[in-house]
Amino acid sequence: APAWAIAKSVGFPPARAVQWTNFLLTFILLAMGIGVLRLVMTGPALGIASVLWAFFPSLFLITPRIGNDQLFFLAHVICLCASLSYIVKQKAIALVIGAIACWAAFWTKSTGLVSICIWIAGFVLGYFPRERLLPKAGEWAGLLMMFGLGISILVKMLVGDSLVGNAGGLNQRLAVGYSAVNFLYFDIPEYLSTVYTDAWRDEGGRQYFWNYLFKTALFGEFKIRTDAFGVWTAMILNYSFFGLLIYGFVGFWKKKFDRRVWLLLVNGGLFLLALATLRMKYPYSCSNDFRYILPILLSFVPFVGWGIFKENASFKWEVTGVVLTFIFVISSSLLYLSL
C-alpha cells in the first residue's frame, strides 16, 4: 500500500500510517454516505438516517482495521452517490466519476462487481425516459470507461483468479450449513437471548444467515466486552436494533418507490445476493460477515427514517422511533468508545 511504503521510507511506523489513512478514508466515507442520503431524503427522516449511518457499530469496527475494506467501501459509496446524482440532476460528469469509482472498487475487491451493477442501474434509470436518445459526450466517456473495465474483468476471469484466495485453507470447524433453512430462517429467540455471536460455535446463531449477519453488523465476530457493563450495553444495542428492523420494514412497506429508491433497493439486494452466494460457495461462518457488505446500510437506514415518519404516523409512533434510535446510537457509542 502507498501509505505503508511512504511511512517506511520516512521512518514512521507503517502499521500506524495505514491506520491513520484508513481513519481518513472512513471519515470521507461517512461524509459521502450522508451525501447519498441527502439525494434521496429530506426532513426529519434524513436526520434519523444520517445519525444511524454515522453511529452504526460497523463504522466503529472498520475504522482501526488494517486492510482494503475502507477503500472499497468509499469507492462503492462514491459510485452510488454519482449514480443517484445522475438520476436526479442528469449531469453526465456523474457517470464519469461513477465509472472511475467502479474501477477502484473492483480492483480493490471482487465485490466491486456490485458497484458495476449499480453504475449500470443508475445509467438506465437516469437515461430513460427522455427525449434525446443520443448520449452526450460525458455519457459516451462513462460508457467507454465501463467497457474498458469489462474487458479487464474478462481478462481476470480468463486468468482464473479465485474470489476467496484462502478458502481452501479455512478450518473445518468454521463450516456451517447451506440448506434453504439456513438462509431463509431468522431465529428470533436465539437473536434476542444471546448477546454476541461466535464463528466457532452454534450458540449465537452462526448457522442462520440472518442471525449471523445482524450480529456481525453490531459486533463483528468479537465479544466486544464481557463485563457487566459491556454485556448490558450490548444487549440494549441488540434489542434496539431489532426494534429498528421493525421500523425499517414498515418504511419499506409504506414508501412510494421512485427511481432513486429503486436504486437503493438494487444496492441492498445485490449485496445480500453477493454475501449469500459467497456463503453458498464457501460454507463457513466467516463468509457471512457483515463487514463485506457495509454499504448496504445506505439501503437500510433510509427506510428506518421513512418508517418512523410515515404518512399519518401518530405522535407516539414517531416519538417511540426517535427514542429507539437514540438508545441505539448511545449504546453503540458507549460500547465502542469505552474500549
Side-chain angles (χ1 to χ4, degrees):
W4 185 282
I6 294 172
K8 193 173 182 180
S9 66
V10 298
F12 190 81
R16 183 63 61 85
V18 173
Q19 284 184 315
W20 276 107
T21 301
N22 286 344
F23 176 80
L24 177 61
L25 291 176
T26 304
F27 183 79
I28 300 173
L29 170 66
L30 176 64
M32 290 302 303
I34 293 175
V36 167
L37 297 175
R38 288 173 62 89
L39 285 168
V40 296
M41 308 179 72
T42 57
L46 171 61
I48 290 292
S50 299
V51 168
L52 287 174
W53 166 251
F55 291 94
F56 206 87
S58 299
L59 285 176
F60 288 109
L61 282 169
I62 69 164
T63 299
R65 192 181 186 97
I66 295 178
N68 59 358
D69 292 332
Q70 291 90 336
L71 182 57
F72 165 69
F73 297 151
L74 178 58
H76 178 83
V77 172
I78 290 174
C79 175
L80 179 60
C81 188
S83 299
L84 285 167
S85 181
Y86 177 69
I87 292 173
V88 173
K89 303 176 182 178
Q90 291 289 297
K91 291 185 177 180
I93 187 62
L95 289 178
V96 176
I97 295 171
I100 295 171
C102 281
W103 274 86
F106 180 79
W107 289 109
T108 301
K109 278 184 175 293
S110 295
T111 321
L113 286 171
V114 175
S115 308
I116 295 171
C117 292
I118 289 299
W119 190 94
I120 294 171
F123 174 73
V124 172
L125 289 169
Y127 194 83
F128 300 103
R130 71 179 188 183
E131 295 180 0
R132 174 190 168 95
L133 291 179
L134 186 66
K136 302 173 185 176
E139 291 168 335
W140 276 119
L143 288 168
L144 288 173
M145 292 175 68
M146 294 302 289
F147 179 76
L149 179 56
I151 295 298
S152 69
I153 293 172
L154 181 61
V155 172
K156 178 181 174 69
M157 292 173 64
L158 291 174
V159 172
D161 287 350
S162 174
L163 182 63
V164 180
N166 65 342
L170 291 174
N171 192 308
Q172 291 303 307
R173 289 175 55 207
L174 293 169
V176 292
Y178 52 95
S179 65
V181 68
N182 295 106
F183 287 93
L184 299 177
Y185 179 61
F186 176 31
D187 191 343
I188 296 176
E190 179 71 17
Y191 173 85
L192 295 176
S193 62
T194 58
V195 181
Y196 303 115
T197 191
D198 193 324
W200 301 88
R201 301 168 58 217
D202 289 347
E203 182 182 3
R206 71 165 186 161
Q207 290 291 342
Y208 300 111
F209 178 84
W210 294 105
N211 286 72
Y212 200 77
L213 179 68
F214 293 150
K215 289 290 187 179
T216 53
L218 300 177
F219 313 112
E221 298 175 338
F222 314 107
K223 292 178 172 59
I224 304 299
R225 286 186 59 166
T226 56
D227 60 326
F229 173 82
V231 170
W232 274 99
T233 307
M235 185 61 76
I236 293 171
L237 190 59
N238 263 315
Y239 276 77
S240 58
F241 179 68
F242 184 76
L244 293 176
L245 286 175
I246 296 173
Y247 272 96
F249 178 78
V250 171
F252 172 81
W253 191 259
K254 293 290 187 178
K255 178 64 179 174
K256 295 179 181 178
F257 294 173
D258 59 20
R259 290 181 295 171
R260 298 167 300 167
V261 178
W262 275 114
L263 190 64
L264 292 184
L265 291 176
V266 170
N267 182 66
L270 287 175
F271 269 122
L272 286 175
L273 179 62
L275 192 65
T277 301
L278 181 63
R279 173 161 167 163
M280 283 188 281
K281 186 173 183 179
Y282 304 106
Y284 300 95
S285 55
C286 55
S287 299
N288 199 164
D289 197 324
F290 181 85
R291 71 178 173 87
Y292 297 138
I293 62 168
L294 182 141
I296 199 177
L297 283 176
L298 293 171
S299 296
F300 168 66
V301 295
F303 287 104
V304 177
W306 288 324
I308 293 174
F309 296 101
K310 64 187 178 74
E311 188 177 358
N312 298 323
S314 68
F315 178 73
K316 289 182 180 179
W317 173 267
E318 292 181 348
V319 169
T320 301
V322 171
V323 170
L324 195 62
T325 298
F326 280 96
I327 289 175
F328 178 84
V329 166
I330 291 169
S331 58
S332 174
S333 302
L334 287 175
L335 183 64
Y336 283 96
L337 295 179
S338 65
L339 294 177

